[in-house]
Amino acid sequence: MNSTTRRRFLGTTALLGAASATGVAGATTSAAEGRGTVATGAGHPIVPGSVQYEDLSRGVNQRWSGTPDWIRVPRTSEQVVAGVQKAVDSGRRIAVRGGGHCFEDFVSGRSVRAVIDLSALDSVEHDTRRRALAVGAGARLGQVNEQLFKRWGIALPAGACPTVGIGGHISGGGYGPLNRLHGLTVDHLYAVEVVVVDGSGTARAVTATREKDDPRRDLWWAHTGGGGGNFGVVTRYWFRSPGAAGADAGRLLPAPPPCRFSAIGLTATRHSTSPPPANQAGLCRHQTNRERLERTNPQSLDAAPFRELKW
């Protein structure tokens, strides 16, 4: 790779892990006439002519449309390793898609020859062995905090947009409205699983933690905001707040702040006694403009007639 920018993210050099793919052989099935083939199974590449190809080769910004030789949607870390190895062996430039929220052409650029879409790696689980919450790198912020709140009554202090992927958000530091209260998201990062490529060109998955005696601690540190995801392909994060003790999942991350509205999913219940799931930021996104201004700038309500809007 020529640089450590996201645009040139994960070339086929030994310094960086490439994106992820799947090395398991799959099968294709004939689609309706005129639609091409359908790539089935996480192990099968999606290639030009596959039904999924046009959508998966295009970014959220419709200005960009890539022409990769293949796209893979792995479901396990092992499939990521296999896909990275295949790309490295064939000399293809790899790009990784997490939540797909990027507005630049870092994944959908014309120079990218292999894409690894991590969207299927979206689990949110309690890892009792590491005493941390394990989150797949393909999960989105809204999904993560909804699961954390519903299952354990806790929140990850992250960004406010629910469609942002956690993969790039965390590796960039993780900034959001709760940070002044609880610190950056990476302050709660305990461990990271990364697919890297060594000097011999061999891809493998390694785990690095913040434990002081961990020989890979520098790799963990490189994913706490400064590395920008340029040291490998992150497949999983583990979160545990500094000072959190015990194995109770409900005490491993902060609780969301209290709010008059419940923001579970896309509905709101006025005067609910239940706290919201932080909606990625711990904010009551379903309060009315009037109530928000009553709390922040009541003098403005004395101005011209006020129209009620939901935000």
Side-chain angles (χ1 to χ4, degrees):
M1 190 167 78
N2 296 329
S3 74
T4 56
T5 64
R6 285 183 180 271
R7 180 174 295 276
R8 300 182 181 278
F9 181 47
L10 296 181
T12 56
T13 67
L15 294 178
L16 300 180
S20 67
T22 59
V24 181
T28 59
T29 59
S30 296
E33 185 175 357
R35 293 181 61 203
T37 59
V38 177
T40 60
H44 199 280
I46 297 168
V47 297
S50 299
V51 172
Q52 306 101 308
Y53 182 84
E54 184 175 353
D55 282 343
L56 294 183
S57 62
R58 188 181 297 273
V60 66
N61 183 348
Q62 297 295 293
R63 175 182 179 183
W64 312 116
S65 181
T67 59
D69 298 328
W70 51 257
I71 303 166
R72 295 180 185 243
V73 186
R75 292 187 174 274
T76 67
S77 298
E78 291 76 16
Q79 290 174 350
V80 174
V81 171
V84 169
Q85 190 65 64
K86 185 175 182 63
V88 170
D89 291 344
S90 60
R92 286 180 169 84
R93 182 189 174 194
I94 309 170
V96 185
R97 177 184 293 124
H101 204 272
C102 181
F103 289 98
E104 291 290 345
D105 63 341
F106 301 148
V107 175
S108 301
R110 295 290 174 142
S111 63
V112 173
R113 305 320 313 155
V115 172
I116 303 198
D117 188 316
L118 299 178
S119 59
L121 296 176
D122 60 353
S123 63
V124 179
E125 302 294 341
H126 177 207
D127 187 332
T128 56
R129 185 173 67 87
R130 285 194 168 92
R131 297 186 298 110
L133 281 306
V135 179
R140 298 187 180 189
L141 293 179
Q143 171 193 2
V144 172
N145 261 338
E146 181 178 3
Q147 290 295 312
L148 291 176
F149 174 75
K150 286 183 175 180
R151 296 166 69 180
W152 300 292
I154 54 179
L156 184 67
C161 181
T163 60
V164 168
I166 198 169
H169 185 67
I170 303 304
S171 62
Y175 181 81
L178 282 182
N179 292 154
R180 294 185 69 180
L181 182 63
H182 296 299
L184 292 174
T185 313
V186 289
D187 290 330
H188 304 267
L189 181 64
Y190 173 72
V192 59
E193 181 182 68
V194 193
V195 176
V196 297
V197 179
D198 63 22
S200 68
T202 302
R204 70 188 193 281
V206 299
T207 300
T209 75
R210 69 185 180 206
E211 299 293 343
K212 293 184 178 180
D213 59 351
D214 187 339
R216 297 193 180 101
R217 191 174 190 273
D218 282 350
L219 184 60
W220 164 83
W221 181 85
H223 289 85
T224 57
N230 286 323
F231 292 88
V233 184
V234 176
T235 54
R236 189 181 314 169
Y237 293 106
W238 284 266
F239 297 99
R240 187 210 304 161
S241 295
D248 182 358
R251 297 179 178 275
L252 297 177
L253 287 173
C259 180
R260 292 178 60 201
F261 287 78
S262 174
I264 298 294
L266 297 177
T267 62
T269 304
R270 185 179 292 269
H271 306 305
S272 169
T273 58
S274 302
N279 197 28
Q280 294 319 309
L283 295 180
C284 297
R285 294 178 58 85
H286 296 277
Q287 62 189 331
T288 64
N289 283 350
R290 175 175 290 277
E291 287 162 334
R292 178 163 55 92
L293 288 174
E294 284 176 348
R295 178 168 52 86
T296 59
N297 189 16
Q299 292 81 7
S300 64
L301 295 176
D302 297 328
F306 193 88
R307 185 176 65 167
E308 291 288 348
L309 294 174
K310 295 288 185 177
W311 67 297

